[in-house]
Amino acid sequence: MMRVDVLDSLKRLNNLSSSYSLPRVSFYAEDCCGRQGSSFFFVSWHILMASLGDIGVSAAINILSAFAFLLAFAILRIQPINDRVYFPKWYLKGLRSSPLQAGLFVSKFVNLDFRSYIRFLSWMPAALQMPELELIDHAGLDSAVYLRIYLLGLKIFVPIAFLAFSVMVPVNWTNSTLERSNLTYSQIDKLSISNIPTGSNRFWTHLVMAYAFTFWTCYILKREYQIVATMRLHFLASEGRRPDQFTVLVRNVPPDPDESVSELVEHFFLVNHPDHYLTHQVVYNAKKLSSLVSKKKKRQNWLDYYELKYSRNQSTRPTKKTGFLGLWGNRVDAIDFYTDEIKRLTEEIELEKHKVMKNSKYTMPAAFVSFRTRWGAAVCAQTQQSRNPTVWLTEWAPEPRDVYWDNMAIPYVSLTIRKLIIAVAFFFLTFFFMIPIAFVQSLANIEGIEKAAPFLKSFIEIKFIKSIIQGFLPGIALKIFLIFLPTILMIMSKFEGFISTSALERRAATRYYIFQFINVFLGSIITGTAFQQLDKFIHQSANEIPKTIGVSIPMKATFFITYIMVDGWAGCAGEILRLKPLIFYHLKNFFLVKTEKDREEAMDPGTFGFNTGEPQIQLYFLLGLVYAVVTPFLLPYIIVFFGFAYVVYRHQIINVYNQEYESAAAFWPDVHGRIIFALVISQLLLMGLLSTKEAANSTPLLITLPVLTISFHLYCKGRYEPAFVKHPLQEAMMKDTLERAREPNFNLKEFLQSAYVHPVFKGEDDSESDVMSEKWEEQEPVLVQTKRQSRKNTPLPSKHSGSLSS
Amino acid sequence: MMRVDVLDSLKRLNNLSSSYSLPRVSFYAEDCCGRQGSSFFFVSWHILMASLGDIGVSAAINILSAFAFLLAFAILRIQPINDRVYFPKWYLKGLRSSPLQAGLFVSKFVNLDFRSYIRFLSWMPAALQMPELELIDHAGLDSAVYLRIYLLGLKIFVPIAFLAFSVMVPVNWTNSTLERSNLTYSQIDKLSISNIPTGSNRFWTHLVMAYAFTFWTCYILKREYQIVATMRLHFLASEGRRPDQFTVLVRNVPPDPDESVSELVEHFFLVNHPDHYLTHQVVYNAKKLSSLVSKKKKRQNWLDYYELKYSRNQSTRPTKKTGFLGLWGNRVDAIDFYTDEIKRLTEEIELEKHKVMKNSKYTMPAAFVSFRTRWGAAVCAQTQQSRNPTVWLTEWAPEPRDVYWDNMAIPYVSLTIRKLIIAVAFFFLTFFFMIPIAFVQSLANIEGIEKAAPFLKSFIEIKFIKSIIQGFLPGIALKIFLIFLPTILMIMSKFEGFISTSALERRAATRYYIFQFINVFLGSIITGTAFQQLDKFIHQSANEIPKTIGVSIPMKATFFITYIMVDGWAGCAGEILRLKPLIFYHLKNFFLVKTEKDREEAMDPGTFGFNTGEPQIQLYFLLGLVYAVVTPFLLPYIIVFFGFAYVVYRHQIINVYNQEYESAAAFWPDVHGRIIFALVISQLLLMGLLSTKEAANSTPLLITLPVLTISFHLYCKGRYEPAFVKHPLQEAMMKDTLERAREPNFNLKEFLQSAYVHPVFKGEDDSESDVMSEKWEEQEPVLVQTKRQSRKNTPLPSKHSGSLSS
């Protein structure tokens, strides 16, 4: 969200600069093909095609803005007052409790040590210093492996760029096709495949290079898959005891007239896993309860705010109006009002809690079933339980903090229908999203505003303001849509019924990538909306499609170079500045923060955002692989992006982000699959391009490439994917045996008792505290002990576990 | 094999008749489209397009030939001498030991009871009488469910035909588009969609019908899937104790420098399945051994033959030449020669057996691991064992008789490569199989023969013979290819590495279906070789392809009607006659049969041949669904086929076929999937057809259909497929508990000891006996006892199981 936001304003900025200050150069592509950049929708994406000079100007602007961001970051980060914005991770880990300097009062807010301003890029080497093992320990495997994606980019593209510049660029350069033609061309095009005459034997170079690049990419991919798989297995093996290692999620427990869900689950597993079943935890429908809890929390916030206000100024007690947003209604004493409200809500919560526990219709037909051994859990998670494959569905339980509680109770038939609905909805979203936006755009024009608000007319009519509005307005609906797109995709995934946040994010990432591929990549190459493309493709023959795209590719190189600089370079620099969290933190700090704990909550470290971040990286992989053979000049820009982003994100992961879950790099098969997809696309487009260049005798050789690539993918899938999906019994047995030898008297049942209780049931004694963060710590066995004791009076554990003597 | 053979000669017959006796009618399709039936390759498939009269003639010919077959069958089957050809199943089951009649010597060979000739169709009701449960008991679930495919055809198409004839035919008939046009047309076309004027609102009828047909088909499919799944589960649940219920096949056992495969397997499973592991059986590479055994068996056959000859005529001892095929070399006494040979081979076999057992390089890295309980086996089969997913691969063991021994030792990497090779090979086989055949055809013409064998010239030049040769020769290479196609596909599947015969057959069936779809269905609609089609499709846009095919469909209705009659009707009648087994049986009976056991071996009951039979049925499903909306006139022919074939195959399954394995209807997901595929194809083609008829506003409604159909398929897949793939623990536990209660002291280890021993090791004491058939009986616990005792002296069981005390 945050990144998209910053990026977007950057893009807007850049657009303005390119349309107002840069000379508009009509690119030869438009002339020679007679095509017009027809879609006004994509004006905002399409920074004008530029010559080498324009790229220089654009690069200068982007480098300068990136530099400005970095400078701002360098200054802001060493101010003690911002310490919690730029180093929240350390605070959350409890390794840092206050800004490092001590001394003067002023120096609590502003850094007066001028030496530190000189070393303003010192964070970069610092970010690179932490070794990977320590990084895994510090931020989790997900983060460490996420960083490897950037490294993978470097590993793939640095040798490719080296080879391309030493072999292909000379081959391309020493032609004079473009010079002899009467087309407008830039120096970049002289470096590209466009400069090779039709039917030339020199295309063999490109063919050989395509093979070399493919083999290199596959080699690196295989190596990386192996490393990541080993890392994952090692990580899982070296982890301490965790509830999810012993627990399986059972869904679609069939209804039974005689037994409650809890009894049914217990009986079923006692019968079918007699030697292994230990205990279970039924899932409750606590939607209303959690909304009450969060309501109470909000009220508590306001109460804190007013109490703080009162404590600062004791002369007048603060008041508020009871109506909507505090705008009207009776004026009452704010502190009393909120105290009453909180009291009322607390009672309501207690009532609701009681209801949820007692009333069987609040019990969902799902349960977390825990086993005596990891072996037992691994067996149960991987096997089918019942004759009817739609009931007693078992799967490995996600980490407790990774569970997405709302989706626990979706029945099987509904899942199929939901998938169908979302598939259709996503299709329409991808191909027809422009229709409502165009409709809004048609409303939101200057005339419309003047009509709706005549008093603004004279203001609007000022030429400068008018041109700005005219520049911004058409794009504004699109931009708002693009800002909300990741959220929309997350909602879609939630609707589809995934039960863990990590799975939700992975699915949203896949969708975001498809959207970007169609609307950014293809949309920029074949100008036109996605729907127009679809229409074009349906009416074109199968071998024409790669040709159409392939021919346009060399012409769009300059556009994509600019795109990389805006979205990649400046975007990264924007990411590190954390403008939004910075502002929000200071606002919250000023208005709400009362205790140290409040301040901690105000930090909002965020996560690295797999669902938006990874598809962005993948777009660069796609661009790099597609242009590697066609226009190698693009590669250095991508390499700079990967290098810069690696440093930036490494810094952020070390100092800022606080990952919400740990999936142990479960996303790697997706990452691998998308790079393979990009590779196949690049091969098909090269085939299309070469066939128009009358190097058609190369076709059989080029067809072989995707076939080989896909079977390489299948091989990798079979070889490494199980490490990310399945749970080897050997490992489980090893850990079980080891642990039994080490701690023969460990009380596993106590350890697992409350691990999978819905978060709202956990925060009962201290509902003001951060329910989430507390839940994590509880994974330490010691903490669980205390937890359990504080719970002994509640009906929950005694009801559901008393019957079992373990 | 057999069926293809008969079919093929039938087709040849029919071709001749149609090209020599039927009037050649140039069909309007050729005129209006200006297309020429260019491919001479498909002449043999393309019985000429015919009018209603022609269809009548063709129908008459086919009905007559079918009738002739049936008559021949009716007469032959009641001759006592043929009893073993037409009722082998009963002999194999031991329920019939000699022809039913007794009395005169002559009546042992010829049926003299003339009353029985009158009731010559009495087998039909007899075939229908046996209830399904008894049929499952008699012939296995595979056969019973296979018959349900024919019934499914009736269930789908009878109501569809009824609806089509009552609604669509009147709507089609009451137009005069064809009459007013100056095209040649037949009465059939007046019943088809061709008779509706372009852009007419009457197409709404077809649209509604398409929906109705789809819903009906899906409804029946779902119901049938449910029934078959239940049948399978019930069958598996009610089965007695069988070795494969307790056994898992482990492949890719990693090499270990210190331990043998056997030790390694034992240790691994003792560690990782400590409570469940019972015993195991290593797989040996016995290729050479089994070739020796079969060589010995052949020699034995010859010895028997000569001994029989000698016993009939004691005056001269038979002699033979030792050279190639007995054509040259020294003449020796045949009985002595073969006795010596057999003695030599017996020694060689003993030596080889010893070598296989002792030498570790004959041990394959695979083993059958047996567990104490079904639960333990189900767990092991469904879970991943090792961290490395390419070693210790476990899967449910096939039935002992279903095991394909040669593929046990293929390493993981090789499997991927083999799959790739076969995928590419199958692609070329499907699309380019005509090239070598055309080459052979170009050689095998009249001139070529005259050149090669000038002495035949005068004979060939006779006009009648010349025309026959010219008629047959071009097709002969194609026919030989088509006869061998199922064998080729089986070899492909074997190469791919499947480890059970049932899986081999299923894969071969899939490939055969694809081949038929492309080369028979599409090949007949768009005349031209598959490669020409491919080329056409690549150069056509995606929405043009269904149009091209859709437009041709109504024109080919008459061709397909003829096809159904030749391939379906007459083919079925040919199947029941069993000409090839009849001839072979009598030949063997005359030359080789000495004992009752030899006679049993000579019977060759065959199987219903899933790999050739099912794709043939599927072609009729495809034709029925495609033509249901377009030319309903075709439906009755399909219904007759399904009905007739049902009766014929039910008779054959009851009386003839002896299934080699029992997969418990594991093929049903394939059957279901292919019907869904046919449904989607029919919907796409209708869409193409209607869009050319300018009923384009129907497109959105028609696009919805495949989307719905595919999501229905996904639903069914999720809902029912696990019943065919997975092994519910609940069931396993239930059977385990039951059995433990019933027979607490059963010695399971003894029972499993030799179940998965390679067949060549089993027949040691009586290598002349039928190794296979004996193996089955051994599944009865009592028989195993004896087996085991006869084996106590061999090193095998003592070596591999002694170390384990269970």
Side-chain angles (χ1 to χ4, degrees), chain A residues 80 150 168 294 308 350 368 428 505 507 559 682 685 746 769:
Chain A
Y150 294 102
M168 237 163 26
S294 75
L308 192 69
E350 277 313 307
F368 289 95
F428 280 95
E505 287 202 354
R507 175 54 64 101
F559 163 68
S682 78
L685 295 186
F746 181 76
S769 75

Side-chain angles (χ1 to χ4, degrees), chain B residues 344-572:
Chain B
R344 188 179 59 79
L345 279 169
T346 312
E347 277 162 18
E348 222 172 293
I349 286 169
E350 278 312 309
L351 210 74
E352 178 74 17
K353 251 181 203 167
H354 199 71
K355 219 162 73 185
V356 167
M357 301 295 222
K358 289 276 173 259
N359 196 334
S360 70
K361 83 169 188 220
Y362 280 91
T363 313
M364 289 181 170
F368 289 96
V369 179
S370 297
F371 291 83
R372 264 173 231 291
T373 55
R374 292 180 181 82
W375 193 91
V379 160
C380 184
Q382 294 179 71
T383 49
Q384 190 184 333
Q385 307 306 314
S386 157
R387 177 187 265 229
N388 180 345
T390 63
V391 299
W392 296 109
L393 299 177
T394 53
E395 58 189 297
W396 207 274
E399 267 193 310
R401 54 178 170 162
D402 194 11
V403 175
Y404 184 74
W405 294 93
D406 291 351
N407 279 348
M408 286 292 164
I410 301 171
Y412 188 82
V413 179
S414 166
L415 274 183
T416 318
I417 296 166
R418 276 160 183 255
K419 261 185 200 144
L420 174 65
I421 291 171
I422 289 298
V424 172
F426 180 66
F427 175 83
F428 280 94
L429 179 73
T430 309
F431 286 96
F432 299 96
F433 77 97
M434 286 313 307
I435 292 173
I437 289 169
F439 179 71
V440 172
Q441 280 170 337
S442 70
L443 295 181
N445 51 17
I446 295 252
E447 288 73 33
I449 293 174
E450 285 180 356
K451 225 170 179 174
F455 54 90
L456 283 175
K457 195 171 178 177
S458 58
F459 175 70
I460 285 172
E461 289 290 317
I462 301 167
K463 206 182 166 207
F464 176 69
I465 290 181
K466 190 175 180 180
S467 62
I468 284 184
I469 290 176
Q470 274 174 334
F472 271 116
L473 259 188
I476 209 104
L478 178 66
K479 303 220 182 261
I480 291 170
F481 169 78
L482 289 176
I483 289 169
F484 282 107
L485 181 62
T487 318
I488 295 170
L489 293 175
M490 275 302 268
I491 292 169
M492 278 182 154
S493 305
K494 280 175 186 168
F495 182 78
E496 225 177 331
F498 292 97
I499 49 113
S500 67
T501 318
S502 54
L504 285 173
E505 286 202 355
R506 282 202 296 280
R507 176 54 65 102
T510 307
R511 296 239 164 81
Y512 196 35
Y513 179 67
I514 296 170
F515 189 90
Q516 282 214 326
F517 175 73
I518 290 171
N519 285 302
V520 177
F521 181 72
L522 292 185
S524 306
I525 288 175
I526 329 153
T527 40
T529 62
F531 175 66
Q532 288 165 353
Q533 292 166 38
L534 187 69
D535 194 57
K536 209 183 265 176
F537 287 157
I538 285 178
H539 290 89
Q540 235 169 10
S541 73
N543 70 336
E544 282 298 314
I545 296 168
K547 273 189 205 169
T548 317
I549 307 171
V551 169
S552 318
I553 280 181
M555 306 170 192
K556 303 286 170 168
T558 42
F559 163 68
F560 280 118
I561 289 174
T562 326
Y563 182 86
I564 292 165
M565 290 190 292
V566 178
D567 182 76
W569 298 8
C572 273

Side-chain angles (χ1 to χ4, degrees), chain A residues 314-360:
Chain A
Q314 302 246 351
S315 57
T316 52
R317 278 181 78 85
T319 58
K320 79 166 294 251
K321 286 174 180 170
T322 54
F324 179 72
L325 282 180
L327 292 178
W328 47 73
N330 299 326
R331 182 164 291 278
V332 293
D333 184 291
I335 294 175
D336 290 350
F337 174 76
Y338 280 113
T339 314
D340 289 353
E341 277 277 287
I342 287 165
K343 207 175 149 197
R344 188 180 59 79
L345 280 169
T346 312
E347 275 161 21
E348 222 172 295
I349 286 170
E350 277 313 307
L351 209 75
E352 178 74 18
K353 252 180 202 167
H354 199 71
K355 219 162 75 187
V356 167
M357 301 296 221
K358 289 277 172 257
N359 196 334
S360 70

Side-chain angles (χ1 to χ4, degrees), chain A residues 272 375 387 389 541 719 731, chain B residues 272 375 387 389 540 719 731:
Chain A
N272 292 303
W375 192 91
R387 175 189 267 229
S541 73
R719 178 74 185 72
E731 297 273 306
Chain B
N272 291 303
W375 193 91
R387 177 187 265 229
Q540 235 169 10
R719 177 74 185 75
E731 297 274 304

Side-chain angles (χ1 to χ4, degrees), chain B residues 308-327:
Chain B
L308 192 68
K309 205 170 164 187
Y310 182 62
S311 70
R312 280 184 194 151
N313 175 12
Q314 303 246 352
S315 57
T316 52
R317 278 181 76 86
T319 58
K320 79 167 291 256
K321 288 176 178 168
T322 54
F324 178 71
L325 283 179
L327 292 178

Side-chain angles (χ1 to χ4, degrees), chain B residues 223-242:
Chain B
R223 210 170 131 254
E224 200 68 20
Y225 214 152
Q226 190 155 23
I227 292 170
V228 173
T230 316
M231 279 170 81
R232 176 182 160 95
L233 289 172
H234 182 80
F235 180 78
L236 291 178
S238 61
E239 266 178 332
R241 190 183 283 113
R242 286 193 347 192

Side-chain angles (χ1 to χ4, degrees), chain B residues 686-710:
Chain B
L686 183 68
M687 204 162 76
L689 178 62
L690 285 192
S691 69
T692 60
K693 288 281 195 175
E694 286 169 32
N697 53 358
S698 63
T699 309
L701 278 170
L702 280 170
I703 284 179
T704 317
L705 263 185
V707 173
L708 288 178
T709 309
I710 290 168

